[in-house]
Amino acid sequence: MQDFRENPNENLREAYASTEVENDPFDDAEMELDLASPWQRIGARILDVLPFAAIGIVAGILLPLMGGTDGGGAAMLVAIIAVGAFIGLLIYNLVIMARDGQSIGKKILDIRVITEDGDNPGFVKYCLVREFAYNVIFFLIGMISKTLGDLLAVIASIACLVMLFMESRNRQTLQDLLAKTFVIKN
């Protein structure tokens, strides 16, 4: 055994050098992400909208058949069922988004949202920031000026579509940049 009192500085350097890790996995190297393709993300958005659209279409067909607003109890029942189905579907979607980082469409296409740290974004980042806050911005602008709000919403949609194809920017859309998230293959 070596006596550390002989040359303490040299011995400490040797002891330190022997504990260094050559390939430190936590080195400042960037994490390699398996990003979801633009087509997966577009498909997921379409699949997210379809169940809500189906409820609206079915209600839109049944309400006039039941006598419309003058149809009495049957029309009211159709309206209540449609609103209940819409709210139930919305709650289910919010729960799986918060729990799994996936909407209905993302779950079907096996992609999910993660934070920059690789964690599940949860309710606040996914639902409130990424989805709700993003849409509220355009809603508030639309309250000030409908034309300006509509114009900015169209511009933002086009920008997001272009951003989906920008692999050099990790295919992050405006919602992803706002919430600091990525969409990856599961």
Side-chain angles (χ1 to χ4, degrees), residues 45-61 86 89:
R45 181 58 77 177
I46 291 169
L47 290 171
D48 287 340
V49 172
L50 282 178
F52 292 100
I55 292 168
I57 291 169
V58 169
I61 291 170
F86 184 86
L89 185 60

Side-chain angles (χ1 to χ4, degrees), residues 67-87:
T69 56
D70 298 334
M76 181 61 82
L77 182 62
V78 168
I80 290 170
I81 290 171
V83 169
F86 184 86
I87 291 171

